[in-house]
Amino acid sequence: MNSEQIRLEETREQKIPWKKWGPYLSERQWGTVREDYSEGGDAWNFFTHDQSRSRAYRWGEDGLAGLSDDKQRLCFALALWNGRDPILKERLFGLTNSEGNHGEDVKEYYFYLDSTPTHSYMKYLYKYPQAAFPYADLVDTNKGRSRDEMEYELLDTGVFDGERYFDVFVEYAKAAPEDILVRITATNRGPDAAELHLLPTLWFRNDWATWIAESNRAPAKPNLKQIETAAGVSAVAATHPLLGEFIFSCEGQVPLLFTENETNNARLFPDYPNDSPYVKDGINDCVVEGRQDAVNPAKQGTKAAAHYRVKIAPGQSATIRLRLTDLATAGEIRKSKAAASPFGPEFDRTLAARLQEADEFYRSVTPPSVSPDAANVMRQAIAGMLWSKQFFFFDGDNWLDEHHSNPLHTGYHASRNSEWFHMLNEDIISMPDKWEYPWYAAWDLAFHTLPLSIVDPDFAKEQMELMLKGVYLHPSGQMPAYEWNFSDVNPPVHAFATLFLHRTEQALRGEMDLDFLRATFNKLLLNFTWWVNRKDRFGKNVFEGGFLGLDNIGVFDRSAPLPTGGHLEQADGTAWMALFSQNMAELSVELAAHDPIYEDMVLKFVEHFYYIAAAMNRSGQDGMWDEEDGFYYDVLQLPDGSATRLKVRSMVGLLPLCATTVIEKWQRDRIPRVMAQLQKRVGRIPELSASMHPTGPGHLGVADRGIIALVNPERLRRILAKMLDENEFLGPCGIRSLSKFHEGNPFVFHVNGQEFKVDYLPAESNTGMFGGNSNWRGPVWMPVNALIIRALLNFYLYYGDNFKIECPTGSGKLMNLFEVAKEISDRLAGIFLRDERGRRPVYGGTEKFQADPHWRDYILFYEYFHGDNGAGLGASHQTGWTGLVAKTIQLFGLLDAKKSLEAGKGAAFARGSGKE
């Protein structure tokens, strides 16, 4: 067991708080729903980037390379000034939804380079131009571009020309759970000497203001004050009534600037007086405008920064060192002769040791067969996921009170999320992207847990449990979708993720967490019941659900009333529920081995799958399967009783493949009574199994494996022929979300003189549907590709080499389904890996990222990828579910076809190199 694994073990078994401090600040708190108190719910314009330096946040904090405790009471981040910017660089800048020609978009270059799961070592890089940051140019130029034009990026403005920028690296290392070392290294990449102001900043989240509800208010106002300490060190004492006392040490006799984390009303709301002459932007005004009266001469407040000014020669670096330590540990350091100063020799030794331990840890989870480049991609993907943890605070009852929208009170008016007054979220949550999506999304989070389980299965399980807690899950059983509309509907993938985490823990520890399994199963049962009662409109076992996370994939906005009237029977919604049924049946089998009362649940969920399969596979004009096309489509049920298939060849029609699960012989042997009952039941109603994949006695596969799958062998071949056709779904970098067939054959639907059209768009969206900042009409998306890979591996466990298919279609090259799965995985990984020319497809034609040695090996994990060339699109730091690439690299680094077939289901859950 290596040092990082020991820390994880101490966290789990001894409750040592190694994870108490971490990268839990957001990259953007402004423009969020939580901070929106506007009448019309215009979050982007109610709290803007321009206001953020002057206005105290209500529900969270943001900052560059930020760190905080797990309740975000005390925060640390870096601020910078190049002497030319109109403001300090305290947080990342980006465009709002209305300013960007493809919606909101961060316009900065920053990279999550490294992190261990306990955050014992972390590294972050920010690239800071030496010229004035082009705020207005970015807004104005992008606003003037159409959806059909490329976005105007920071590199396009010319501020990085001549290499005139600083690389600012921020490293953290923990000497103890509450003793955090910080090393900041700024390197001048330009041809001339340049000055840089570095302002490492410590502050308290404002939890003391009188406008905060008493239930969320600290019992007393916290305080920061300068104190005397060792020679050559400047220090701040931080005291919070709930957090305790800490010492923030800064190397050198450096000026310390103090103000309050309180709103500058004089600047923003002149009708209201400031509570204090020292306000949130006081340090900004002192440094940028030279206003010494903007900071507190008494050297105390709730926000403080050390002001370092360094002149850096071309190609040279400057380093500053800092240390945040709880009072008890700080006292021990002062008493120790070996460490009389917080910056003695042990400081650098500890940093070097933590980096070495991080290297050792990642070697233990990375298969030895993986190339150095792929190992780098895998490590940065996981680092990005660990950096994307965020403290998320939302008190539904309190927030709705403040909006006069709480249904528990008389005289309320309905507003966003009114029905979620039960919610109390105050947890560390894995975010999709801490700038573009600094709020959790339920189905994203389920996918996050897969790669997170490589390094921290305990945190992955905690994330799964969160969405099922009573302060998240609606009393009706609905899972919250995301803060813009908690009542929207995300695909039900949490049972799939729960099962994955269960298998991972079994492989890792040789035992199961029965309490976790039982608790999650019981809550998932509530969610399953909600789906059946709310989304199967007529009890026909076909499901709706609206957009279901696939934004603009349909010809209509599937979450809005249809222009035709009537309703949609959705192939994806129905396929998701088929997979949900399979997952719940498997979980029931696991639980039944310890408690026979769950045997009836196995029967219940297998039967439900049969009902869904029979409904989805029915023939005729109103069925989802189109025999002529060999594909599944949504069905539009019109008010006059007629029905028509909406023949859009999209991921919607591939998802039925994903409702596929192999049943091992040992699973059936656990529940002989259930198996007998099931055979009897199906024998009485043979129509249930007529159109799905044959299963049961006489239809067993390799190693006596059974299978439950929506698609039968003939349909499987027909769907795969399209999916593996490079002129349809198979792109050079994975499976496209929409068939390239629609490039020359757009799907057009006319209603009341209005035309609705779906055509192949491999890059950005050309519509404003769902904000227009994502596109499911052609690009490659990682999570659905991962589910397709899972389905193919399940089919392979059943068929082995008895089922082969051309891949690519028309190539004449036959592959078994393991080989097909690996081919797709390799194409996905290839997005990020250097090709034979040394270029990474993710960076497209951006030469800076392709050729410059100071850029080319730093990986960004975008939201989705160009369907024809793999260039990154959408949110640039959505390591969240795009981090799944780490799991596919690890999986196929460990597995080969023979090993997979022999080991069965357990083969996919082995951990790393096997070196502990």
Side-chain angles (χ1 to χ4, degrees), residues 355-596:
L355 175 55
Q356 183 179 358
E357 290 161 6
D359 292 342
E360 184 182 14
F361 175 75
Y362 276 101
R363 280 194 298 271
S364 76
V365 298
T366 305
S369 63
V370 168
S371 72
D373 192 28
N376 175 47
V377 170
M378 180 177 163
R379 183 165 175 171
Q380 287 193 49
I382 294 171
M385 300 204 67
L386 295 170
W387 268 97
S388 295
K389 295 180 184 180
Q390 180 185 310
F391 174 70
F392 187 91
F393 185 29
F394 176 74
D395 180 336
D397 181 60
N398 181 195
W399 190 86
L400 289 167
D401 277 351
E402 293 170 350
H403 288 72
H404 309 292
S405 302
N406 194 325
L408 296 178
H409 299 162
T410 56
Y412 88 101
H413 66 272
S415 71
R416 175 183 282 136
N417 297 325
S418 287
E419 61 272 38
W420 294 83
F421 57 84
H422 75 288
M423 292 187 85
L424 179 58
N425 303 166
E426 45 182 352
D427 298 284
I428 303 301
I429 306 180
S430 176
M431 296 292 143
D433 177 317
K434 290 206 295 187
W435 193 93
E436 190 144 342
Y437 305 113
W439 29 263
Y440 63 85
W443 81 303
D444 297 56
L445 189 57
F447 286 108
H448 296 184
T449 64
L450 275 64
L452 283 169
S453 71
I454 297 172
V455 294
D456 194 353
D458 294 319
F459 179 71
K461 284 166 58 182
E462 288 165 11
Q463 296 299 286
M464 194 52 50
E465 290 172 312
L466 272 183
M467 292 298 106
L468 299 171
K469 282 186 174 180
V471 289
Y472 287 79
L473 192 71
H474 195 273
S476 67
Q478 184 179 10
M479 210 169 285
Y482 43 78
E483 69 170 21
W484 288 92
N485 183 3
F486 285 128
S487 294
D488 231 332
V489 184
N490 277 179
V493 288
H494 295 76
F496 153 69
T498 298
L499 192 59
F500 184 95
L501 296 176
H502 165 64
R503 300 269 188 239
T504 299
E505 186 161 47
Q506 278 184 317
L508 178 62
R509 302 190 179 119
E511 59 186 18
M512 67 184 288
D513 184 344
L514 190 58
D515 290 339
F516 166 73
L517 210 59
R518 186 182 289 119
T520 51
F521 178 87
N522 292 341
K523 292 294 185 68
L524 287 166
L525 185 57
L526 295 177
N527 186 237
F528 187 93
T529 304
W530 178 86
W531 269 91
V532 169
N533 289 338
R534 297 290 184 92
K535 296 303 170 184
D536 178 9
R537 185 181 296 232
F538 298 109
K540 294 165 56 180
N541 296 298
V542 289
F543 292 83
E544 300 170 53
F547 89 119
L548 285 178
L550 308 186
D551 291 28
N552 65 336
I553 204 164
V555 66
F556 310 125
D557 179 346
R558 300 192 303 170
S559 287
L562 300 176
T564 59
H567 66 278
L568 277 183
E569 293 177 347
Q570 296 180 212
D572 55 340
T574 307
W576 288 123
M577 284 303 290
L579 178 61
F580 197 176
S581 300
Q582 292 175 3
N583 298 147
M584 292 296 280
E586 272 206 275
L587 289 168
S588 302
V589 171
E590 295 296 305
L591 289 165
H594 300 268
D595 186 347

Side-chain angles (χ1 to χ4, degrees), residues 50-56 87-88 90-91 259-268 274 277-289 291 294-295 303:
D50 181 61
Q51 293 178 345
S52 63
R53 71 179 183 274
S54 307
R55 187 173 177 181
I87 57 174
L88 290 182
E90 293 182 274
R91 57 188 52 79
T259 189
E260 302 289 345
N261 184 20
E262 296 177 352
T263 298
N264 183 353
N265 288 322
R267 175 176 179 254
L268 300 177
N274 284 347
Y278 312 111
V279 286
K280 184 177 178 180
D281 53 12
I283 294 170
N284 174 89
D285 293 352
C286 176
V287 174
V288 177
E289 299 175 10
R291 286 187 47 215
V295 294
K303 179 180 179 182

Side-chain angles (χ1 to χ4, degrees), residues 230-281:
V233 177
S234 303
V236 176
T239 304
H240 190 286
L242 300 175
L243 184 64
E245 297 182 63
F246 286 77
I247 304 296
F248 178 54
S249 302
C250 310
E251 188 173 29
Q253 293 295 335
V254 57
L256 299 178
L257 310 176
F258 289 80
T259 189
E260 302 289 345
N261 184 20
E262 296 177 352
T263 298
N264 183 353
N265 288 322
R267 175 176 179 254
L268 300 177
F269 311 108
D271 291 341
Y272 300 90
N274 284 347
D275 292 335
S276 160
Y278 312 111
V279 286
K280 184 177 178 180
D281 53 12

